Amino acid sequence: MDTEHTGVDSGALDAYSRVVTGVATKLLPSVAALSVRTSRGQGAGSAVTFTDDGFLLTNAHVVAGASGGTADFADGTETRFDVVGADPLSDLAVVRVHNPGAPAAPLGNADELKIGQLVVAVGNPMGLAGSVTAGVVSGLGRSLPARDGRRVRIIDSVIQTDAALNPGNSGGALADSTGTVVGINTAVAGYGLGLAVPINATTRAIIGELVANGRVRRAWLGVAGVPAPLPPALADRLGQKLGLRVVEVVPGSPAGNAGIYLGDILITAGGQSTQSVQALQRLMLGPAIGTNLPITLLRKNALVDVVTVPAELN
């Protein structure tokens, strides 16, 4: 046996184990098992404490149809919780326990993740409280459709991981090697394939609105688009290869009133590049409602500037 090689492997395994056990030690006290009862029956999931005064983050589908339930923590504490607000279009929800005391888990920024990076999932799969699994970031920039009645929205920048996830993990933490929560586990897409809603600037804004208002106000332009390549000379000058070609404008909508027409290619909105539908969606949150949103577009090989005023999506 190659003892030198064996020693290296053992050292690597020890280091790996130290990381996973360190994350587990840090996060297990912050993660709760949720139990809810609705007209459809009993449901279960996980949630992550993110404030010292008892606010927890979970999935909207975990608490769908419920106004509250029971939260069980790793130290044996059991307490009632109320649903503060839920947003099915991001699959995020905030609940608040009646008896706070669990430490707040730090929230990070999933935009800094790299493919192959170690991640640790902490949750309560199959009713097994305080379960920990580990894996790597298998993919980034995935999209996950979310529905709220007849409205459908794409959750963008979803994290794909091979850390084992099972029913009950939903709402639990996906953390990096420092124990910082970078995602909320939301779906099991298949064998060895789990997905998590990222913690980033967009979802932080959603979480803030849920805490403050109990719901997420969204803005509406009334325009639909598909990615389209920009002319090479313009792409080189702008440092941007794609824009959004307008394929539908709702009559009387903010986009229609601003003078946006079929065939226009949106290049920027609010100074931000609009190379995808998701990029435009990210701008359509509460603060955009009723405020001027400058848009630069390409029309018949000429750059045109218009100003829209997004309305609230009802």
Side-chain angles (χ1 to χ4, degrees):
M1 178 179 291
D2 185 342
T3 56
E4 182 179 357
H5 182 68
T6 303
V8 171
D9 284 349
S10 299
L13 179 60
D14 288 345
Y16 178 88
S17 299
R18 285 195 297 271
V19 170
V20 176
T21 55
V23 173
T25 300
K26 184 175 182 177
L27 287 186
L28 279 172
S30 303
V31 177
L34 300 187
S35 298
V36 299
R37 183 176 294 278
T38 68
S39 59
R40 295 175 297 177
Q42 187 83 13
S46 305
V48 185
T49 306
F50 68 98
T51 72
D52 291 328
D53 52 351
F55 285 95
L56 283 74
L57 190 58
T58 186
N59 287 145
H61 76 259
V62 169
V63 296
S67 60
T70 303
D72 293 278
F73 289 88
D75 64 357
T77 300
E78 178 180 316
T79 178
R80 296 287 301 173
F81 71 83
D82 298 317
V83 177
V84 175
D87 179 43
L89 293 180
S90 64
D91 200 18
L92 291 174
V94 171
V95 305
R96 192 175 192 181
V97 294
H98 292 189
N99 298 306
L107 300 183
N109 182 9
D111 292 345
E112 298 175 356
L113 289 175
K114 305 294 183 186
I115 292 177
Q117 185 172 338
L118 171 66
V119 285
V120 179
V122 182
N124 304 280
M126 313 296 288
L128 301 173
S131 293
V132 177
T133 57
V136 298
V137 175
S138 305
L140 292 167
R142 306 304 193 207
S143 296
L144 181 69
R147 181 180 295 273
D148 182 13
R150 291 182 298 175
R151 292 188 294 168
V152 178
R153 183 178 184 274
I154 300 298
I155 305 173
D156 63 333
S157 301
V158 170
I159 305 163
Q160 177 188 333
T161 177
D162 67 351
L165 301 178
N166 290 286
N169 267 119
S170 289
L174 187 72
D176 65 15
S177 60
T178 69
T180 300
V181 179
V182 292
I184 299 298
N185 300 317
T186 188
V188 180
Y191 180 76
L193 177 60
L195 301 174
V197 177
I199 300 296
N200 55 25
T202 301
T203 51
R204 283 176 180 271
I206 290 171
I207 295 165
E209 289 225 16
L210 289 174
V211 171
N213 305 311
R215 68 187 185 96
V216 176
R217 299 171 67 223
R218 282 193 165 81
W220 175 68
L221 278 181
V223 63
V226 296
L230 298 179
L234 181 61
D236 289 342
R237 178 156 63 91
L238 298 178
Q240 176 178 332
K241 294 182 178 180
L242 299 175
L244 280 182
R245 183 181 300 279
V246 176
V247 296
E248 181 182 2
V249 179
V250 178
S253 67
N257 293 338
I260 296 176
Y261 303 113
L262 292 177
D264 288 347
I265 298 179
L266 307 187
I267 297 175
T268 63
Q272 303 295 314
S273 170
T274 53
Q275 300 193 65
S276 66
V277 174
Q278 293 91 328
L280 191 59
Q281 283 184 345
R282 282 195 289 268
L283 301 175
M284 295 294 103
L285 292 174
I289 297 170
T291 62
N292 289 346
L293 181 70
I295 290 179
T296 297
L297 52 86
L298 180 67
R299 177 183 298 160
K300 296 181 180 179
N301 295 319
L303 293 178
V304 177
D305 292 322
V306 300
V307 177
T308 62
V309 182
E312 183 168 1
L313 176 64
N314 296 315

